[in-house]
Amino acid sequence: MKRSLMVFLILCLAFSLLSPAAFAAGSSYKLDELGMSIELPQDYIVFTRDIKSNDPNLSAYGLTRDELYSLMVDGCIYLNAWDKDLNYEIIVTMTDSPVEDFNLYSDTALMDLASSAEDEYRNYGITYIKSELYQHSQAKFIKIYISQQRNGSTVYGLEYSTVYNSKAINITLQSYSGKINSSKEAILKEIVDSVRFDTAPSAASLENNSVGSEGGNIFSAPLNVLFIGAIFSLPIIIYRYAVKRRPVERKKAWIVSLLYSIVSALAVLAILAFQRGWLLAAFLLLWSCANYRILTGKRKKDVPVDGTPAESAVEGQKNAIPYPHMVSEGRPPEEDPACEEADSIRFCHQCGSELVSGSMFCSKCGAEIPVLEKKNQQERSRNHEL
């Protein structure tokens, strides 16, 4: 008995959590001018342009067929439906569009289009709240949340907009009982999902969608990224390898890279303020690390500070006589005991900088190496005696 009661309670809970729309039988409406069909809950009050003169809903609202038809034509409305409590209405509109199909556009381009429509909504006294994309089985929709003041109260709306076969189609829910909540969103989503267009998406549309939802984004294709990076680094490459021709000091390289990136990012933001330029600006800032690596990298043909090619300077250092004072005595350097002592001194006694092998003076502070100084004094004494 207890087990049966438990199963009954679980079933009651499950049914109570289901959306009421799941139980409502749908009615399909064919909109030939739009080339589509749409389903609405059966208990909705629905008006279309082909409504009959004896429809009971006309007399209930004090309308004639001609009056309703005129209103729908003026508003480009092809379907107008109300819920049974008259808390919200569903409006389907259509106008001809110079754009062929939203499926041919990337998500980024569509979001830019939605953002640019904010001023247009404002001109009609409509407040643009936010927008996002929705992928239907056949079409791409832009979801736009809006609000408008009417007769001292706020009317909230959720609009699904698409362009399909050169027809701009809007499916809008207007709420007269408060903001668009999750329940109303679910109802409108189910209605939009029921839409079936008479013609399938074009091959070009399917190919564009197969590339990815972010086909227009600068980060979608590796070739685009490499191309932008190469163009951005071109001045750095010219400065490093054609003008400077030697590695740049690390601190200076960081300063040059960051300043160049910041200036480039600000320029991009200024030029593409309404085209999501912040994405490219962020990429340029990150690319400053590559510019730093270019500036500090070394190669054999680099020119040192004194203007001599690095390769020649290294070769000359190899052939140079490290201890010229020993040549006059006719002894090879490796047999002179002072050589071992000199080689053991690797750091300057005055500034602590690392010494270049065979140098008589510190390249940093100019101090003379003690061992070589002592050796020079011995040679001067010997020459004086002679």
Side-chain angles (χ1 to χ4, degrees):
M1 181 65 180
K2 290 182 178 180
R3 185 175 182 180
S4 301
L5 180 60
M6 183 64 68
V7 172
F8 175 75
L9 292 175
I10 292 175
L11 290 175
C12 290
L13 178 62
F15 276 96
S16 66
L17 293 176
L18 291 176
S19 170
F23 300 96
S27 298
S28 180
Y29 297 87
K30 186 73 172 65
L31 305 176
D32 294 326
E33 296 91 340
L34 281 65
M36 56 171 267
S37 62
I38 189 171
E39 289 187 8
L40 297 173
Q42 198 169 22
D43 58 349
Y44 277 24
I45 302 168
V46 181
F47 298 103
T48 61
R49 290 190 178 187
D50 58 356
I51 191 171
K52 296 181 180 180
S53 300
N54 59 354
D55 190 294
N57 289 324
L58 288 174
S59 58
Y61 289 93
L63 294 172
T64 64
R65 182 189 181 280
D66 293 339
E67 290 173 342
L68 177 64
Y69 184 83
S70 178
L71 290 173
M72 297 185 82
V73 170
D74 291 342
C76 300
I77 300 172
Y78 288 84
L79 183 145
N80 192 192
W82 292 78
D83 71 307
K84 60 181 180 179
D85 298 322
L86 304 182
N87 289 323
Y88 57 87
E89 66 175 323
I90 305 295
I91 306 172
V92 179
T93 63
M94 186 275 288
T95 57
D96 293 331
S97 172
V99 178
E100 181 182 353
D101 198 322
F102 271 4
N103 284 321
L104 298 175
Y105 291 83
S106 68
D107 288 2
T108 302
L110 292 179
M111 288 303 298
D112 291 339
L113 179 64
S115 299
S116 64
E118 184 175 355
D119 292 336
E120 184 176 350
Y121 279 102
R122 189 182 297 111
N123 293 335
Y124 286 96
I126 300 174
T127 301
Y128 173 97
I129 300 175
K130 66 175 182 177
S131 61
E132 58 188 58
L133 296 181
Y134 180 71
Q135 181 63 59
H136 179 265
S137 60
Q138 290 180 290
K140 281 184 177 182
F141 283 88
I142 301 176
K143 289 174 59 178
I144 303 177
Y145 295 78
I146 55 178
S147 66
Q148 186 178 21
Q149 295 295 322
R150 289 186 188 175
N151 300 325
S153 60
T154 304
V155 178
Y156 293 91
L158 175 56
E159 181 179 284
Y160 279 75
S161 300
T162 189
V163 175
Y164 199 89
N165 289 335
S166 300
K167 296 180 176 67
I169 300 171
N170 294 334
I171 305 173
T172 307
L173 185 151
Q174 290 189 350
S175 173
Y176 303 97
S177 58
K179 295 182 178 181
I180 305 294
N181 55 27
S182 58
S183 175
K184 293 173 183 176
E185 284 200 38
I187 291 172
L188 185 58
K189 178 180 178 298
E190 187 174 356
I191 292 173
V192 172
D193 287 340
S194 72
V195 171
R196 290 294 175 268
F197 292 98
D198 297 340
T199 58
S202 63
S205 302
L206 294 175
E207 182 179 355
N208 183 72
N209 285 334
S210 66
V211 173
S213 60
E214 292 295 332
N217 194 304
I218 63 171
F219 301 101
S220 60
L223 290 179
N224 288 344
V225 174
L226 293 177
F227 177 77
I228 294 173
I231 296 298
F232 175 60
S233 296
L234 187 59
I236 296 292
I237 294 173
I238 294 175
Y239 173 76
R240 164 64 178 84
Y241 294 104
V243 179
K244 199 73 172 176
R245 292 192 297 166
R246 61 175 177 269
V248 180
E249 182 183 0
R250 292 187 176 183
K251 183 178 180 180
K252 182 178 180 181
W254 268 124
I255 293 175
V256 171
S257 300
L258 289 177
L259 288 179
Y260 179 62
S261 300
I262 292 172
V263 171
S264 301
L266 291 176
V268 169
L269 288 174
I271 297 173
L272 305 176
F274 301 101
Q275 299 293 329
R276 290 179 172 261
W278 61 270
L279 288 174
L280 185 56
F283 169 73
L284 294 181
L285 287 173
L286 292 175
W287 196 258
S288 61
C289 296
N291 289 335
Y292 170 78
R293 185 65 184 88
I294 293 173
L295 289 171
T296 57
K298 298 180 179 180
R299 62 173 188 170
K300 291 183 178 180
K301 296 182 179 180
D302 286 335
V303 177
V305 180
D306 60 1
T308 307
E311 191 173 8
S312 301
V314 172
E315 191 66 26
Q317 186 176 3
K318 290 181 179 179
N319 298 329
I321 300 175
Y323 305 106
H325 60 279
M326 301 177 193
V327 177
S328 60
E329 300 180 17
R331 290 182 298 168
E334 58 273 12
E335 295 181 4
D336 193 279
C339 293
E340 298 181 1
E341 187 176 358
D343 289 337
S344 63
I345 301 177
R346 299 182 58 188
F347 299 94
C348 177
H349 68 283
Q350 184 167 319
C351 67
S353 300
E354 186 174 359
L355 300 174
V356 179
S357 178
S359 298
M360 299 178 63
F361 299 92
C362 174
S363 59
K364 186 73 174 180
C365 66
E368 187 174 2
I369 300 175
V371 173
L372 296 179
E373 181 180 4
K374 180 180 179 182
K375 183 67 176 177
N376 291 337
Q377 291 177 354
Q378 293 177 354
E379 288 187 1
R380 285 194 295 269
S381 299
R382 187 180 299 110
N383 292 334
H384 181 71
E385 292 175 359
L386 293 177

